[in-house]
Amino acid sequence: MKISDELASAIASVTEVAAVAAFDWVGKQDKNAADKAAVEAMRNRLNEIDFHGKIVIGEGEIDDAPMLYIGEQVGKKSGSIGLDIAVDPIDGTRMVACNEKNAIAVLAAAPTGTLLQAPDMYMEKLVVGAAAKGAVHLANPLEKNLEFLSSALNKPISNLSIAVLDKPRHQHIIKTIRSFGANVITIPDGDVLASLLTILPEHPIDMMYGTGGAPEGIISAAIARALGGDMQARLISRDKAKGDSEENKQLAAQEILRCQQMGLEIGEVLSLDQMVSTSDVIFAATAITPTILMDGVSIDAYSRISNTILVNGSDRSLKLINNRYFN
């Protein structure tokens, strides 16, 4: 089933309304309020579109409403087209709260049954562009992957640039990459944008590596599948990602149970095809604050301006949509 251009445009409008809603909270030091505003705007717009869909990976389970929770039905029951939805209403809530760059609203959609359904938990991710497809593997030591990446790209290791989230859990990874001679691009939050920049050949990131959220991971996999990049991932329990405190151990036990219920195994390497089993996938991202690829939302007394990237895997296209609405 090919997702029509009309439906793809409608999906792009979902991240647009979420970004505009979140913009009201930029710099106000309340990331939860920003996230809530984006969620409500996203849900309302999804339920206006003529399709029937399900959130296969989002922000937790039904008890955590009003988040767009895993298993939530969206769209219209009468819709003739069925879609899986992977969503992160704001990738970079802290950046919205602190008025920092690179906060975006993101969503991926594909025909029913083609996106991996997984719990909202941590995920280790390895993303490369088309030129390095098949060259690296999560089962390899990081140093070996740098060697293989260097060979695939015909670049000396000293010229490689690896994007890593700047988190305490990644300090040993950052140290390893630098000691091996490659360059590290640290990002405070928001690894979906880093994945997109890795896959676009004109940008300097050669690989994105590290542990972040699983919803962002499936969305990144959708980008890779749509644009010819490559990605591997594995689910990581909270105690392994954040430390083995008693609270983290209890949460990890719940994650293990949820994975078993979904037929998933924590620590198993997931291929790109396992995460997104079709090229007929749509990815949309609207900038809330300015990014390297597009300006953020702008609102004045006369109009509202938004900027959205729309990726369509069926024809491997990327469109930049600049919308201006006059009051």
Side-chain angles (χ1 to χ4, degrees):
M1 181 202 81
K2 181 182 182 299
I3 297 175
S4 69
D5 289 342
E6 181 182 5
L7 182 53
S9 295
I11 289 168
S13 74
V14 175
T15 59
E16 180 183 326
V17 297
V20 170
F23 181 76
D24 288 342
W25 293 94
V26 168
K28 294 183 179 177
Q29 302 294 322
D30 192 341
K31 66 179 186 178
N32 292 332
D35 202 33
K36 184 173 185 290
V39 166
E40 290 176 352
M42 193 172 265
R43 173 182 284 118
N44 291 340
R45 180 66 186 117
L46 280 167
N47 289 334
E48 292 171 352
I49 300 173
D50 189 21
F51 79 104
H52 64 274
K54 182 175 76 170
I55 306 297
V56 296
I57 189 159
E59 297 188 275
E61 311 304 321
I62 190 167
D63 293 339
D64 290 332
M67 300 304 180
L68 281 157
Y69 58 83
I70 297 166
E72 180 175 352
Q73 301 294 315
V74 291
K76 298 180 178 179
K77 290 182 179 179
S78 60
S80 59
I81 297 169
L83 295 179
D84 286 346
I85 304 289
V87 62
D88 188 4
I90 303 178
D91 190 27
T93 52
R94 188 195 60 78
M95 296 185 296
V96 170
C98 298
N99 193 12
E100 295 179 2
K101 293 181 179 180
N102 297 321
I104 56 178
V106 294
L107 179 150
T112 299
T114 59
L115 296 185
L116 181 75
Q117 182 167 349
D120 179 13
M121 58 188 293
Y122 281 98
M123 176 183 272
E124 183 183 9
K125 312 162 196 178
L126 182 65
V127 181
V128 294
K133 190 176 179 69
V136 296
H137 198 286
L138 270 179
N140 298 331
L142 180 54
E143 295 90 340
K144 279 293 181 187
N145 278 331
L146 293 174
E147 289 178 357
F148 294 146
L149 184 64
S150 170
S151 177
L153 299 180
N154 196 25
K155 270 187 180 183
I157 288 175
S158 59
N159 286 355
L160 293 178
S161 293
I162 315 300
V164 182
L165 283 171
D166 192 7
K167 304 290 184 183
R169 63 180 176 272
H170 290 151
Q171 294 312 303
H172 69 289
I173 292 170
I174 292 170
K175 184 177 179 181
T176 298
I177 294 170
R178 286 178 172 154
S179 66
F180 209 65
N183 305 301
V184 177
I185 299 175
T186 54
I187 46 180
D189 293 291
D191 59 8
V192 173
L193 182 60
S195 296
L196 177 59
L197 293 173
T198 302
I199 291 162
L200 294 176
E202 67 270 25
H203 291 280
I205 301 175
D206 298 305
M207 183 170 80
M208 199 282 291
Y209 176 63
T211 300
E216 295 87 348
I218 300 304
I219 294 168
S220 294
I223 302 168
R225 188 65 198 257
L227 295 179
D230 200 9
M231 177 176 173
Q232 292 173 355
R234 52 187 162 199
L235 297 168
I236 304 291
S237 60
R238 189 175 182 88
D239 57 332
K240 296 293 190 294
K242 297 279 285 184
D244 59 354
S245 68
E246 194 56 41
E247 180 186 5
N248 287 343
K249 286 180 180 178
Q250 291 176 7
L251 289 169
Q254 295 173 21
E255 291 170 343
I256 292 167
L257 179 60
R258 291 290 292 130
C259 284
Q260 290 172 344
Q261 292 170 343
M262 293 181 180
L264 300 171
E265 186 175 337
I266 290 178
E268 176 190 358
V269 175
L270 299 166
S271 69
L272 181 59
D273 286 351
Q274 285 175 288
M275 291 183 281
V276 184
S277 62
T278 179
S279 295
D280 188 24
V281 60
I282 298 294
F283 163 77
T286 303
I288 304 165
T289 58
T291 76
I292 191 172
L293 293 174
M294 50 187 167
D295 291 334
V297 172
S298 175
I299 297 176
D300 58 30
Y302 305 101
S303 64
R304 181 181 79 238
I305 299 172
S306 64
N307 296 278
T308 299
I309 285 174
L310 177 61
V311 171
N312 192 327
S314 64
D315 57 6
R316 290 204 172 168
S317 64
L318 184 154
K319 299 175 183 176
L320 290 171
I321 303 170
N322 173 261
N323 278 332
R324 184 167 189 171
Y325 302 94
F326 289 90
N327 297 335

